[in-house]
């Protein structure tokens, strides 16, 4: 089974702090994704990565950056956390060889910015 | 831009009753359609997907969905729900083959009571 793990289930940070959210997948997937989930808005794509050292902006990249130095690890960075970044963050990965393949999700990190 | 509409934000239902969760999408070209489920405090898990062929798709846990191209819909159904089906359900669409991102609906919370 594919396993996608996220470094923290719950995280509390203060405004202005630099925040790192880590995601690791164990199935050698090329594609990885970061979403945020907010009530009434569903999942919105922040950034995605085709492969190592490659990244593309999603629909709401402002205030975020990402890093993909190794294939299995995709990090989301909040350079200076703000209260409007309080949300649930979900990481996903996908094996791209099948063009209509599913994404596998981690359990999520619930981030609160005070 | 593609969009996915889940018409009901919340659907309350009694145990053993049938349920339908509605999903409509905006694309007129070929699409791949997915339903994901999110149980409390967990990540998303794939329920079923439509790629091509038969318009009736069967998934896990007794769920099924019907693809209707003329109505651009992909409604999810279950003939008899259980308490354990209480969760949030997300419809998602991928337009075309190859690397394409998923566009998610806003989610429907299914509340099953005894």
């Amino acid at each position: 089974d594919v396993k996608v793990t996220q470094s923290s289930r719950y995280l509390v940070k203060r405004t202005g702090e630099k925040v790192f959210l880590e995601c690791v997948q164990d199935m050698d997937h090329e594609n990885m994704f970061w979403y945020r989930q907010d009530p009434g808005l569903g999942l919105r794509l922040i950034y995605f990565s085709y492969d190592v050292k490659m990244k593309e902006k999603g629909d709401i990249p402002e205030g975020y950056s990402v890093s993909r130095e190794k294939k299995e690890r995709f990090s989301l960075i909040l350079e200076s956390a703000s209260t409007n970044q309080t949300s649930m963050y979900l990481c996903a990965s996908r094996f791209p060889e099948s063009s209509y393949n599913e994404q596998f999700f981690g359990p999520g990190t619930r981030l609160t910015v005070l | 831009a593609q969009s996915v509409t889940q018409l009901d934000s919340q659907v309350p239902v009694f145990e053993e009753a049938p349920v339908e969760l509605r999903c409509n999408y905006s694309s007129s070209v070929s699409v791949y359609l997915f339903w994901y489920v999110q149980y409390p405090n967990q990540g998303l898990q794939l329920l079923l997907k439509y790629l091509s062929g038969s318009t009736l798709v069967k998934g896990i846990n007794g769920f099924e969905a019907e693809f209707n191209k003329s109505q651009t819909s992909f409604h999810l159904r279950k003939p008899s729900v259980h308490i354990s089906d209480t969760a949030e359900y997300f419809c998602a669409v991928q337009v075309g083959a190859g690397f394409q991102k998923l566009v998610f609906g806003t989610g429907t919370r299914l509340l099953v009571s005894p």
Side-chain angles (χ1 to χ4, degrees):
Chain A
D1 282 350
V2 174
K3 192 168 184 182
V4 180
T5 57
Q6 296 183 229
S7 51
S8 305
R9 293 300 303 273
Y10 300 93
L11 209 53
V12 179
K13 295 292 181 181
R14 297 209 174 272
T15 302
E17 279 193 78
K18 189 168 186 176
V19 181
F20 292 86
L21 303 183
E22 305 285 340
C23 175
V24 177
Q25 50 93 5
D26 66 358
M27 282 300 291
D28 205 34
H29 286 176
E30 277 84 0
N31 303 160
M32 295 189 75
F33 307 81
W34 274 107
Y35 296 89
R36 66 176 282 175
Q37 180 183 5
D38 299 289
L41 297 177
L43 276 74
R44 294 178 292 166
L45 183 64
I46 304 172
Y47 266 97
F48 59 97
S49 170
Y50 290 98
D51 207 334
V52 179
K53 296 191 186 293
M54 299 176 74
K55 58 186 180 184
E56 294 286 339
K57 293 180 179 178
D59 299 318
I60 52 164
E62 296 78 19
Y64 303 94
S65 63
V66 290
S67 172
R68 185 118 182 252
E69 295 297 318
K70 293 185 177 181
K71 192 174 190 178
E72 67 271 17
R73 189 179 298 270
F74 191 35
S75 303
L76 180 69
I77 303 158
L78 287 66
E79 294 290 342
S80 178
S82 64
T83 55
N84 62 13
Q85 293 178 309
T86 291
S87 187
M88 169 71 90
Y89 290 87
L90 292 167
C91 174
S93 71
R94 179 176 71 180
F95 189 60
E97 291 306 315
S98 172
S99 61
Y100 30 74
N101 42 31
E102 67 181 275
Q103 293 183 19
F104 293 87
F105 284 82
T109 295
R110 187 167 293 281
L111 173 67
T112 302
V113 183
L114 302 175
Chain B
Q2 308 308 320
S3 67
V4 178
T5 302
Q6 292 185 244
L7 296 165
D8 306 298
S9 59
Q10 191 164 290
V11 172
V13 65
F14 289 109
E15 194 174 17
E16 297 183 7
V19 71
E20 178 179 82
L21 306 183
R22 297 179 291 170
C23 173
N24 288 85
Y25 61 93
S26 64
S27 177
S28 60
V29 298
S30 64
V31 294
Y32 304 110
L33 296 157
F34 303 79
W35 275 100
Y36 282 85
V37 60
Q38 184 180 35
Y39 298 106
N41 299 315
Q42 294 186 29
L44 274 68
Q45 176 184 353
L46 183 71
L47 264 182
L48 49 79
K49 59 186 177 184
Y50 171 78
L51 308 176
S52 64
S54 173
T55 57
L56 184 63
V57 180
K58 294 193 182 296
I60 62 172
N61 301 338
F63 283 93
E64 63 183 30
E66 185 156 20
F67 170 59
N68 188 319
K69 189 175 181 178
S70 62
Q71 296 186 7
T72 60
S73 68
F74 190 54
H75 300 333
L76 181 71
R77 301 186 183 103
K78 186 170 183 178
S80 176
V81 295
H82 301 290
I83 297 284
S84 59
D85 293 323
T86 293
E88 189 147 23
Y89 293 79
F90 292 94
C91 182
V93 61
Q94 175 179 309
V95 179
F99 186 88
Q100 300 288 346
K101 63 181 183 181
L102 281 178
V103 177
F104 284 87
T106 53
T108 297
R109 186 170 297 278
L110 178 63
L111 298 169
V112 183
S113 53

